Amino acid sequence: MIGVPGERGPYHAGMSTFYVTTPIYYVNDRPHIGHCYTTCVADVAARFARLMGLETYFLTGTDEHADKVIAKAVENRLTEQQWVDQCAGEFVRAFALLGFSQDVFYRTSDPQHKALAQRYIKKLLDQGDVYLGDYVGWYDPSQDEYLTETLAKEHHYVSPVTGKSLEKRTEKNYFFRLSKYQDALAAHIAGHEEFILPLARRNEVLGRLKDGLQDVPVSRALKAGESTWGVLMPGDPSHRVYVWIEALCNYLTAVDTAGKRHLWPAAVHLMAKDILWFHAVIWPAMLMALGQGQPKTVYAHAYWVREGRKMSKSLGNFVDIDVIQQYVGAFGADALRYYLITQGPQGVSDADFSHGRFIETYNAELANGIGNATSRVGNMIDKYFGGRVPEHGGVGVLAGLEQFDWPVLTATAVRSAIAKFGEMDLAGATNEGIALVRKVDAYINATEPFKIAKKLEAEPGLKDRLGAILYHCAEALRVATLLLTPAMPVKMGQLQRTWNCVPAGGVTLSQLADWHGPHALVPGQGLTKGEVLFMRADPGAAWPPVAG
Ligand code: MSP
């Protein structure tokens, strides 16, 4: 919860477009759970936004101009383009495996990006926001990044990431006049509580801003014979635009076309805490210099760690694409998506990817939760009502159950899910769906429809009450599936098909969920019981599964 007045996130009533982005990932690494997580959060946000009736644009992609790319291409005897095509393909495959619905997989080697990024830098040069100066700094070759003197000293002049020595370098460089935007940035952040989320991160950025901003280098001189892979400095082909500066431009270059310009400013840039500074300070200052609007929210989540330990190359413990594939193979993409969303590091604390926790969540909330509830209700409707939705019952049929005011309970859950989506609490929004399932379970425990069914022969008059109870269960579960669809589109789609309640296109979540509205289950319509949605998992089973 955010707990401050004002807007609490990127979504607000009255908005019509929703542009959501992930970082564009370095192509050199194989896709892993970290990349998939941010993209999963973006996917769930995009699916919610579409359900809200917003014109949604979801961008993810790859950052293909890092120096390491050149080295890797040489090592693999490929051209840079061949190398990045191959690597980007891995990300596309990983994202397809998890059913992500990006509208564009954007790559910085795209000519549109390169041309527009150059145009932006040229504008900055022309207006004096980018200038040629001398740069002396500590360069981390492994990260393709300069460290400030303070930071370099703090890390004893070795890379904080790889531990390799930093190099002191003096270069003629182009600089971006970041210092000029210090006050404007501080004012923007202070005036927009939803600009940097979570709030603790916003306070960190504000704290760092108080130390003052220095101009940042935006180019690097090319050595003789060096590959010109990347974006060259406009008017000075002896310099290459520093990859970070160029990469940040992607969010704008992707939509700076006649048909898409109206999508800017973005609703939300998503990322982890590692690259918040670039997104919350450098990019917004560049946007100010370019005369462009600011993204509504920059949201930085925390990290996934694995079984309590940081994931790193040296430990070789990444939940990488192969592990992801094992989970998808054994439990389905939706189960992994659900785990990522509800147990992931949204907010400021890191989250542990633990197999035990995965199984626990899967069994409790999916197999024994939504899976079991829908199967019980579907089976009873099949058995006692011939697979037809029963009547919801006239006055008095549900006497004694007034505390379960389903129209109110479902409407409250939907409102609350929308509010949580609005502040990018996608775990919270998804949990509203699961909480509704739990209420249905409680209702079944309170009403005991199985027992009523047993008495039917002796007391046929009870059939109306049984039907009404099952109608309420089924309708509440239908609303729950709507709230769970962004996280689990495949399984919820499967259930909606067997229950004959596939949401109509172009209708918003609130309309679809309206208990008394035209999308509610209709008595008499077919409702088949369908296949088991989530098979219970054996917590004692060997993992990873043994091949063959
Ligand atoms: N190319 C830059 C981003 C440029 S955006 C204009 C980059 N790429 S990256 O491949 O290193 O991706 C970093 C991002 O990957 C993080 O911000 C986060 O979105 C995701 N994650 C990488 N490791 C992660 C975890 N262990 N946990 C959660 N997310 C992580 O930086």
Side-chain angles (χ1 to χ4, degrees):
M1 282 302 266
I2 292 177
V4 287
E7 278 178 19
R8 296 150 75 96
Y11 171 70
H12 57 94
M15 82 196 277
S16 58
T17 60
F18 194 86
Y19 176 26
V20 49
T21 69
T22 72
I24 44 169
Y25 304 107
Y26 288 131
V27 278
N28 273 9
D29 285 336
R30 291 191 78 206
H32 61 65
I33 206 73
H35 311 125
C36 291
Y37 175 65
T38 314
T39 317
C40 189
V41 173
D43 185 63
V44 173
R47 287 175 189 271
F48 258 109
R50 291 186 196 116
L51 265 180
M52 301 297 300
L54 299 169
E55 181 189 351
T56 303
Y57 197 65
F58 164 20
L59 171 144
T60 189
T62 39
D63 182 352
E64 304 187 341
H65 289 144
D67 275 357
K68 278 182 281 186
V69 166
I70 302 171
K72 274 285 177 185
V74 171
E75 197 181 308
N76 287 278
R77 294 165 195 263
L78 295 171
T79 62
E80 287 97 346
Q81 191 65 53
Q82 286 168 330
W83 171 249
V84 295
D85 286 350
Q86 186 174 312
C87 300
E90 289 258 302
F91 279 88
V92 172
R93 266 194 300 285
F95 294 172
L97 201 60
L98 284 161
F100 296 153
S101 63
Q102 68 270 4
D103 295 290
V104 62
F105 187 94
Y106 200 52
R107 302 175 51 191
T108 54
S109 59
D110 185 319
Q112 173 180 317
H113 167 75
K114 290 170 72 173
L116 285 171
Q118 256 195 337
R119 195 190 295 169
Y120 303 159
I121 308 282
K122 170 142 183 2
K123 177 172 159 64
L124 300 184
L125 261 171
D126 291 348
Q127 66 194 36
D129 273 314
V130 166
Y131 63 91
L132 190 63
D134 265 331
Y135 182 78
V136 185
W138 292 98
Y139 178 68
D140 178 351
S142 58
Q143 299 304 299
D144 194 19
E145 186 169 273
Y146 275 93
L147 273 72
T148 58
E149 180 63 39
T150 333
L151 207 59
K153 194 168 170 193
E154 208 174 279
H155 289 278
H156 309 287
Y157 303 98
V158 297
S159 162
V161 183
T162 59
K164 291 195 184 134
S165 294
L166 298 175
E167 295 169 12
K168 187 157 197 176
R169 286 196 185 173
T170 306
E171 293 188 342
K172 266 275 174 243
N173 251 330
Y174 288 89
F175 286 83
F176 170 53
R177 234 176 263 286
L178 181 62
S179 56
K180 178 175 153 191
Y181 294 95
Q182 156 118 20
D183 294 343
L185 274 169
H188 185 78
I189 299 171
H192 299 84
E193 275 145 340
E194 76 290 2
F195 183 59
I196 301 173
L197 292 178
L199 278 190
R201 299 274 173 236
R202 172 175 184 264
N203 296 337
E204 279 171 22
V205 172
L206 278 172
R208 234 180 115 183
L209 265 184
K210 288 206 186 88
D211 296 341
L213 289 177
Q214 287 173 0
D215 293 350
V216 287
V218 295
S219 77
R220 201 111 57 63
L222 284 169
K223 295 184 205 83
E226 199 181 331
S227 158
T228 54
W229 181 250
V231 170
L232 298 181
M233 203 61 198
D236 184 354
S238 69
H239 273 77
R240 183 173 26 228
V241 177
Y242 175 43
V243 66
W244 255 109
I245 295 300
E246 175 237 308
L248 285 165
C249 292
N250 93 90
Y251 301 127
L252 188 58
T253 67
V255 296
D256 196 355
T257 57
K260 298 205 180 73
R261 204 159 285 138
H262 65 288
L263 293 163
W264 192 264
V268 57
H269 291 319
L270 292 163
M271 76 225 63
K273 56 190 174 183
D274 53 342
I275 55 177
L276 175 61
W277 185 254
F278 287 100
H279 287 81
V281 173
I282 297 177
W283 176 231
M286 286 170 69
L287 287 168
M288 284 177 183
L290 290 168
Q292 294 282 348
Q294 294 297 326
K296 194 101 179 88
T297 296
V298 172
Y299 187 105
H301 59 72
Y303 284 144
W304 278 102
V305 297
R306 188 173 192 190
E307 309 283 353
R309 304 179 77 183
K310 186 178 186 311
M311 290 190 286
S312 73
K313 279 207 177 118
S314 50
L315 288 173
N317 64 343
F318 274 108
V319 177
D320 63 13
I321 178 76
D322 302 328
V323 180
I324 292 169
Q325 199 143 15
Q326 283 167 349
Y327 275 94
V328 170
F331 305 97
D334 281 6
L336 185 57
R337 292 169 59 103
Y338 181 84
Y339 178 69
L340 291 181
I341 284 297
T342 58
Q343 305 295 316
Q346 274 218 315
V348 287
S349 314
D350 290 347
D352 194 12
F353 192 99
S354 116
H355 182 65
R357 185 92 192 100
F358 173 87
I359 296 292
E360 216 176 279
T361 309
Y362 173 88
N363 276 339
E365 290 164 27
L366 302 184
N368 299 340
I370 177 81
N372 188 47
T374 51
S375 127
R376 286 209 288 180
V377 170
N379 284 341
M380 283 191 280
I381 290 179
D382 183 66
K383 191 159 167 194
Y384 304 112
F385 296 89
R388 303 249 153 228
V389 175
E391 289 294 331
H392 26 66
V395 185
V397 172
L398 289 175
L401 292 169
E402 289 75 12
Q403 76 274 29
F404 290 99
D405 188 345
W406 285 111
V408 171
L409 290 173
T410 49
T412 309
V414 170
R415 256 200 314 276
S416 170
I418 292 173
K420 287 176 175 165
F421 151 72
E423 42 189 81
M424 285 297 99
D425 175 8
L426 282 328
T430 303
N431 279 330
E432 289 297 334
I434 288 294
L436 211 47
V437 174
R438 285 206 195 95
K439 289 206 178 91
V440 173
D441 282 339
Y443 184 68
I444 293 178
N445 291 341
T447 56
E448 302 185 306
F450 292 98
K451 287 195 183 155
I452 301 179
K454 284 201 188 114
K455 293 187 203 153
L456 280 185
E457 226 166 285
E459 289 179 68
L462 284 176
K463 190 149 184 188
D464 284 353
R465 185 170 168 89
L466 176 63
I469 289 168
L470 292 177
Y471 179 89
H472 283 73
C473 291
E475 177 58 5
L477 289 172
R478 182 190 71 85
V479 176
T481 68
L482 295 171
L483 301 182
L484 292 171
T485 295
M488 298 187 286
V490 175
K491 294 289 183 178
M492 294 306 105
Q494 183 185 325
L495 185 83
Q496 287 159 347
R497 277 191 300 280
T498 55
W499 279 25
N500 235 324
C501 59
V502 176
V507 184
T508 66
L509 174 59
S510 310
Q511 292 165 329
L512 289 168
D514 182 2
W515 192 276
H516 302 292
H519 304 280
L521 292 173
V522 179
Q525 108 194 358
L527 185 155
T528 38
K529 57 183 182 171
E531 284 164 25
V532 174
L533 282 184
F534 299 98
M535 205 64 97
R536 229 189 104 74
D538 173 5
W543 187 263
V546 190

